[in-house]
Amino acid sequence: MAENVVATYYYPTAAPAAMEVCGAELGKGASDKCFDDDGRPKRNGTMWTASSHIITAVIGSGVLSLGWAIAQLGWVAGPAAMLLFSLVTYYTSSLLADCYRSGDPSTGKRNYTYMDAVNANLSGIKVQICGFLQYANIVGVAIGYTIAASISMLAIRRANCFHQKGHGNPCKVSSTPYMIIFGVAEIFFSQIPDFDQISWLSILAAVMSFTYSSIGLGLGIVQVIANRGVQGSLTGISIGVVTPMDKVWRSLQAFGDIAFAYSYSLILIEIQDTIRAPPPSESTVMKRATVVSVAVTTLFYMLCGCMGYAAFGDGAPGNLLTGFGFYEPFWLLDVANAAIVVHLVGAYQVYCQPLFAFVEKWAAQRWPDSAFVTGEVEVPLPATRRRSCKVNLFRATWRTAFVVATTVVSMLLPFFNDVVGFLGALGFWPLTVYFPVEMYVVQKKVPRWSPRWVCLQMLSLGCLVISVAAAAGSIAGIASDLKVYRPFKSY
């Protein structure tokens, strides 16, 4: 019974009466027109909607820290690291896309979530480890995005203050009220039930990401022209400006920042589950979307990161649009930061939907007869054409509590660069490399010690070393920040 309740609540099964009505209305077989091969409502996603989801998730606040990251690594290692991460992300995402269906890529059993794919191919303790890492990383991303959004809202206030009172004025402002504002907005948008219904928000967020990235790029070009030359060096920030140990920690943290900027594999399967049924197969469409998304994001990352370093050299700010490397035109900075906030509202939802769905599915299986968990209540909407809307009380309560909790934690740890670097390091190797590689080996039956198997294991081992090093650098940065940080203080 629990299974039927879960299916009915999350993914309505093809009930005979519903199929007949649907078929009668559309004049065709309901199974062809209304439902997919698994009995769930027809998926309508395309390469473009999948690309918008990926771009929304990928071109996030991380793009703004890339100028700082390249400043730590220099003109040689910085762009090279960016290109390396883009190639690794594309390759492992292609491996992961093949795991959406077990067996035949067009007719095999669907794996609806990342955990389902791991369970179908690896099973055992690895499923629990994957689930913990995936959902812990989603919580971390929610915290990171709350911090980034509040910093951008704070930057609007400070940009106006600098314009009115001069660049020498400290213009200290607390980020706490802005985190609360962002949290309230996320409580509202978190009530959107699932991925299928946030395409419009994802597309809007993707447009916003191009908007602020373009503004940052344009301001960087203007600054380079004003400087009458390109700043920076081949090896990055010099020892002397920082200590040798700080140089090491900063370089490692920069790798974490770049890894975070490409991190979206943990929600790839969930995005792929929105793509319409074959032909062509979902994996084919997802690979095309990955090519488009990774190519576009890498181009933007190279332009924004390199131009940020070219404009400010070793003094590149940790956040290109909020670190006040730029002060004027203040209104353009306001537009860019407002676009960041709108983008992060959407990105927060794209990342958190898998966690929301997991908890709600578990609760429905655990308490299938509970009206609070599986039932809905009608809420009147007097000011709209619709007289009422249906609301699930458990969904409303749980999602609100999640947003409140992540907002409170964000108030306590508002370290943008260090948090971004740590999140990138935490999720990059296991979710972007290890599990996709291991699932691909099992699904394609790659012989142990064959040349392909050895190359895949070497790729995984190399990325593990990078992740551990980047995590160490970010932890060192957070430890340094905590020595001088005071909660809820204005900065």
Side-chain angles (χ1 to χ4, degrees):
M1 181 175 179
E3 282 292 324
N4 188 48
V5 170
V6 173
T8 302
Y9 178 67
Y10 287 99
Y11 314 103
T13 53
M19 289 178 67
E20 289 173 8
V21 171
C22 187
E25 288 178 351
L26 296 170
K28 292 186 177 182
S31 60
D32 294 333
K33 204 69 178 176
C34 295
F35 298 94
D36 279 330
D37 54 358
D38 58 350
R40 296 185 178 181
K42 204 78 171 176
R43 296 163 175 84
N44 296 309
T46 65
M47 184 197 77
W48 298 112
T49 60
S51 296
S52 72
H53 285 317
I54 295 171
I55 290 171
T56 296
V58 176
I59 303 185
S61 53
V63 69
L64 302 173
S65 68
L66 293 178
W68 180 89
I70 293 179
Q72 311 314 308
L73 300 172
W75 280 118
V76 176
M82 213 175 295
L83 185 60
L84 172 65
F85 277 101
S86 70
L87 293 174
V88 170
T89 300
Y90 165 70
Y91 181 67
T92 57
S93 295
S94 297
L95 300 183
L96 187 57
D98 286 331
C99 299
Y100 173 66
R101 286 185 184 264
S102 298
D104 188 272
S106 296
T107 60
K109 180 182 177 296
R110 296 173 187 262
N111 298 307
Y112 303 113
T113 67
Y114 197 118
M115 277 189 68
D116 288 344
V118 174
N119 189 44
N121 291 283
L122 302 179
S123 69
I125 189 64
K126 291 181 179 180
V127 180
Q128 284 72 38
I129 294 173
C130 170
F132 172 77
L133 290 172
Q134 182 186 13
Y135 298 130
N137 204 257
I138 288 173
V139 173
V141 167
I143 293 169
Y145 280 2
T146 302
I147 294 170
S150 70
I151 290 174
S152 290
M153 287 187 277
L154 184 148
I156 294 174
R157 175 78 177 274
R158 295 188 71 197
N160 295 337
C161 174
F162 287 135
H163 178 72
Q164 294 171 0
K165 300 180 180 180
H167 301 170
N169 193 292
C171 290
K172 291 186 177 181
V173 184
S174 173
S175 62
T176 300
Y178 300 103
M179 291 188 185
I180 294 173
I181 292 171
F182 183 78
V184 170
E186 290 303 341
I187 288 173
F188 174 77
F189 284 106
S190 69
Q191 302 312 311
I192 299 174
D194 52 46
F195 256 125
D196 288 335
Q197 299 179 40
I198 64 171
S199 292
W200 65 272
L201 183 59
S202 183
I203 292 171
L204 174 63
V207 171
M208 291 297 103
S209 69
F210 289 126
T211 300
Y212 67 72
S213 297
S214 299
I215 292 174
L217 174 62
L219 290 174
I221 292 172
V222 170
Q223 186 67 39
V224 169
I225 294 172
N227 293 340
R228 296 183 178 180
V230 173
Q231 305 292 309
S233 65
L234 295 179
T235 57
I237 192 167
S238 304
I239 294 175
V241 177
V242 295
T243 65
M245 187 56 67
D246 281 343
K247 170 72 173 178
V248 172
W249 291 130
R250 283 174 171 234
S251 297
L252 295 179
Q253 185 184 333
F255 280 112
D257 285 2
I258 296 172
F260 178 80
Y262 280 103
S263 178
Y264 76 93
S265 296
L266 71 165
I267 57 171
L268 183 144
I269 296 292
E270 285 81 354
I271 293 174
Q272 193 167 343
D273 191 44
T274 67
I275 296 173
R276 64 169 59 112
S281 67
E282 296 91 349
S283 62
T284 299
V285 176
M286 195 65 193
K287 288 176 183 178
R288 292 172 184 169
T290 298
V291 169
V292 171
S293 305
V294 173
V296 169
T297 54
T298 300
L299 176 62
F300 265 82
Y301 285 175
M302 286 289 189
L303 290 173
C304 292
C306 293
M307 197 54 64
Y309 185 41
F312 299 106
D314 292 350
N319 187 311
L320 193 60
L321 293 173
T322 64
F324 289 97
F326 303 112
Y327 289 93
E328 300 291 344
F330 77 99
W331 60 268
L332 190 58
L333 290 174
D334 290 352
V335 170
N337 281 298
I340 292 173
V341 174
V342 174
H343 170 262
L344 290 174
V345 168
Y348 187 106
Q349 294 305 316
V350 169
Y351 263 103
C352 291
Q353 283 295 334
L355 177 58
F356 292 159
F358 170 77
V359 171
E360 288 155 22
K361 182 177 180 180
W362 171 83
Q365 289 176 325
R366 181 69 177 80
W367 299 287
D369 299 321
S370 171
F372 175 74
V373 174
T374 60
E376 294 180 327
V377 296
E378 289 197 3
V379 177
L381 299 172
T384 63
R385 292 182 179 180
R386 294 180 61 184
R387 294 183 178 179
S388 65
C389 71
K390 293 183 178 180
V391 176
N392 176 264
L393 293 177
F394 177 77
R395 180 172 66 222
T397 303
W398 138 245
R399 296 189 182 194
T400 299
F402 174 84
V403 173
V404 170
T406 54
T407 302
V408 171
V409 174
S410 300
M411 293 176 188
L412 297 173
L413 295 172
F415 314 133
F416 178 74
N417 265 60
D418 296 328
V419 170
V420 160
F422 182 70
L423 291 176
L426 181 67
F428 179 72
W429 175 72
L431 298 173
T432 301
V433 182
Y434 175 75
F435 284 113
V437 164
E438 292 300 306
M439 287 191 287
Y440 179 82
V441 167
V442 171
Q443 183 147 326
K444 300 300 182 182
K445 297 180 173 60
V446 179
R448 184 180 289 269
W449 302 114
S450 66
R452 180 185 294 184
W453 185 90
V454 171
C455 290
L456 288 170
Q457 299 305 321
M458 289 178 64
L459 170 65
S460 182
L461 180 61
C463 291
L464 171 61
V465 172
I466 292 173
S467 288
V468 171
S474 297
I475 291 171
I478 292 173
S480 177
D481 289 335
L482 287 172
K483 292 178 181 178
V484 297
Y485 173 68
R486 297 295 179 270
F488 310 113
K489 183 181 177 182
S490 298
Y491 289 91

